[in-house]
């Protein structure tokens, strides 16, 4: 069997990257050298090498100190306008597959095992002929599919993705269920393998849900609102157990405020800002409104170690953006990275994988 596995998912925000962190960490404890490849990337940034690279490749290369170049681990990037360029024949399927194949061949030569991370669900990339099943087929790889931990709905989503793999002649080596609620875990462990019996596909792991992995940090909010912290940069990866919109009286705020709380309040509410600066040792603030904080308040903020940022939006729009936001794992957030690795390593059957 080729010592490579392609990790795909049933959709966005299923936790595929989280799973890959734990899988790569566990493989490195069993195999001398393990490489990482993200054949097709969507969300990308500019690396210090000056090349566009998928953000997950930055995370894996930096955390695991992988030696290959960013470009070799992230051969195809889909920036804005990429699909139109493909449909206008400015980019060809042959050229894209060649880049992916060259990267895979290089990593396979240099490593005993290669972990390949797909993009989104199995069908993502179909419009430019590079969906996950197509790429896995081209490289001759088996696929492991990650789904949200449930029973009926999870199986239904898996059925679509499994059938697409089979239509390309790609073998599904196993299923991993992620974000499994503790009160459903025993039931899922008993019944989900039964649902897979007719397909002959094993359940490789049942990874528990951990709220820490979904908690955004101030660094996440910097990216979300495209702004920078006014203070407390040393706490940019602080997590918050509660987010509170404060628009009422100061007395009500004092009665309801708690520890490790992210406070969202208008920048004109100097009473709330001063109270938070005095008391919230482990908290944070997002200030909103058309006008930034007054100069004397800004000076007090800049002298504080509390992570605070200003967003030129009304409180409602800021809260709407925050509640619909899904946090991703960054290498700087070592607590979250290590928790993800620990969860996967203790709940995945590496022998079956």
């Amino acid at each position: 069997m080729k010592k490579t596995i392609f990790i795909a998912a049933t959709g966005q925000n299923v936790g595929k990257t989280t799973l890959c962190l734990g899988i790569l960490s566990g493989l490195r404890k069993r195999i001398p050298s393990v490489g990482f490849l993200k054949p097709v990337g969507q969300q990308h940034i500019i690396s210090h090498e000056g090349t566009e690279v998928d953000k997950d490749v930055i995370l894996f290369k930096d955390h695991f100190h992988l030696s290959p170049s960013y470009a070799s681990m992230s051969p195809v990037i889909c920036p804005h306008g990429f699909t139109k360029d493909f449909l206008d024949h400015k980019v060809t399927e042959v050229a894209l597959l060649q880049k992916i194949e060259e990267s895979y061949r290089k990593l396979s030569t240099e490593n005993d095992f290669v972990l390949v991370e797909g993009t989104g669900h199995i069908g993502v990339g179909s419009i430019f002929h590079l969906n996950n099943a197509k790429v896995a087929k081209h490289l001759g790889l088996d696929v492991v599919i990650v789904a949200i931990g449930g029973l009926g709905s999870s199986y239904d989503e898996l059925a679509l993705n499994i059938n697409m793999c089979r239509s390309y002649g790609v073998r599904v080596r196993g299923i991993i269920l992620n974000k499994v609620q503790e009160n459903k875990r025993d039931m899922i462990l008993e019944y989900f393998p039964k649902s897979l019996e007719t397909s002959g596909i094993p359940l490789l792991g049942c990874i528990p849900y951990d709220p820490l992995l979904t908690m955004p940090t101030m660094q996440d909010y910097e990216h979300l609102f495209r702004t920078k912290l006014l203070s407390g940069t040393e706490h940019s990866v602080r997590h918050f157990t509660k987010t509170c919109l404060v628009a009422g009286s100061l007395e009500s705020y004092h009665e309801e405020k708690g520890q490790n709380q992210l406070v969202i309040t208008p920048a004109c509410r100097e009473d709330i800002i001063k109270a938070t600066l005095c008391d919230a040792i482990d908290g944070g603030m997002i200030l909103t409104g058309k006008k930034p904080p007054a100069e004397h308040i800004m000076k007090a903020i800049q002298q504080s170690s509390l992570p605070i940022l200003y967003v030129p939006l009304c409180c409602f729009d800021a809260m709407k953006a925050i509640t619909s936001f899904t946090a991703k794992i960054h290498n700087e957030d070592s607590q979250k990275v290590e928790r993800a690795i620990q969860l996967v390593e203790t709940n995945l059957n590496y022998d079956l994988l």
Side-chain angles (χ1 to χ4, degrees):
M1 183 181 293
K2 187 173 288 186
K3 293 185 177 179
T4 310
I5 198 70
F6 191 111
I7 307 296
T10 56
Q12 282 188 318
N13 304 322
V14 172
K16 175 168 46 60
T17 301
T18 300
L19 267 293
C20 285
L21 280 169
I23 291 170
L24 185 56
S25 177
L27 288 173
R28 280 161 61 97
K29 293 173 182 176
R30 295 164 171 83
I31 299 171
S33 63
V34 183
F36 178 79
L37 175 65
K38 186 76 178 279
V40 180
Q42 289 182 312
Q43 298 183 31
H44 61 279
I45 55 180
I46 303 298
S47 72
H48 63 258
E49 296 174 355
T51 58
E52 290 184 331
V53 59
D54 184 88
K55 62 179 182 55
D56 290 340
V57 169
I58 297 280
L59 169 63
F60 281 79
K61 180 174 171 61
D62 292 355
H63 182 77
F64 293 106
H65 307 291
L66 303 177
S67 57
S69 67
Y70 290 112
S72 65
M73 291 190 288
S74 183
V76 174
I77 293 295
C78 306
H80 181 71
F82 177 86
T83 299
K84 292 178 182 178
D85 285 345
F86 182 87
L87 296 175
D88 286 334
H89 307 292
K90 296 176 183 178
V91 182
T92 69
E93 175 188 347
V94 172
L96 296 174
L97 285 173
Q98 185 177 355
K99 289 182 69 175
I100 292 172
E101 189 174 346
E102 288 173 355
S103 289
Y104 175 68
R105 191 183 304 118
K106 182 178 186 297
L107 292 171
S108 297
T109 302
E110 296 173 351
N111 296 278
D112 299 297
F113 197 104
V114 180
L115 180 66
V116 182
E117 181 186 349
T119 301
H121 60 74
I122 295 294
V124 168
S126 292
I127 193 168
F128 46 82
H129 304 175
L130 284 183
N131 65 61
N132 291 279
K134 173 72 173 286
V135 174
K137 174 65 174 178
H138 185 79
L139 298 178
L141 307 182
D142 293 349
V143 169
V144 167
I145 305 178
V146 182
I148 292 290
L151 193 56
S153 60
S154 297
Y155 185 88
D156 293 344
E157 291 176 357
L158 279 166
L160 293 171
N161 288 273
I162 290 170
N163 285 336
M164 188 167 188
C165 285
R166 287 176 171 168
S167 72
Y168 279 84
V170 173
R171 176 190 175 217
V172 179
R173 190 183 295 185
I175 303 299
I176 301 173
L177 298 178
N178 192 31
K179 301 182 182 180
V180 178
Q181 297 289 342
E182 190 58 39
N183 62 344
K184 295 182 178 180
R185 182 174 167 78
D186 290 341
M187 179 273 292
I188 289 172
L189 283 170
E190 179 181 357
Y191 285 98
F192 212 89
K194 293 180 180 179
S195 74
L196 295 172
E197 284 177 356
T198 56
S199 66
I201 301 173
L203 179 63
L204 304 177
C206 194
I207 315 301
Y209 169 76
D210 190 315
L212 173 68
L213 300 181
T214 64
M215 289 181 185
T217 65
M218 291 303 282
Q219 185 184 74
D220 288 313
Y221 293 131
E222 283 184 301
H223 294 313
L224 173 64
F225 295 114
R226 298 180 182 179
T227 186
K228 293 292 183 182
L229 284 170
L230 303 175
S231 60
T233 54
E234 66 272 28
H235 301 301
S236 64
V237 291
R238 175 176 288 172
H239 306 102
F240 304 99
T241 55
K242 183 180 179 182
T243 299
C244 183
L245 173 61
V246 181
S249 69
L250 180 61
E251 291 74 19
S252 297
Y253 174 55
H254 279 303
E255 290 173 3
E256 297 175 6
K257 69 181 178 181
Q259 298 298 311
N260 194 221
Q261 178 174 277
L262 176 64
V263 173
I264 300 166
T265 195
C268 62
R269 288 299 304 268
E270 297 184 7
D271 54 343
I272 301 297
I273 296 171
K274 289 176 180 178
T276 306
L277 289 174
C278 289
D279 301 335
I281 299 173
D282 61 351
M285 268 196 295
I286 294 179
L287 307 178
T288 66
K290 292 182 179 179
K291 294 183 179 180
E295 186 176 346
H296 67 282
I297 293 294
M298 189 68 80
K299 287 180 179 179
I301 288 172
Q302 291 169 346
Q303 292 171 2
S304 169
S305 62
L306 208 65
I308 301 172
L309 57 79
Y310 164 68
V311 180
L313 298 172
C314 69
C315 278
F316 175 80
D317 288 339
M319 280 296 292
K320 187 166 68 171
I322 287 169
T323 54
S324 62
F325 176 67
T326 300
K328 300 295 184 181
I329 296 182
H330 306 286
N331 191 45
E332 298 88 348
D333 194 346
S334 57
Q335 183 184 2
K336 195 177 284 187
V337 171
E338 293 303 325
R339 181 73 65 84
I341 288 172
Q342 184 269 332
L343 276 175
V344 176
E345 287 191 342
T346 55
N347 292 281
L348 184 66
N349 189 327
Y350 285 88
D351 293 331
L352 273 180
L353 177 72

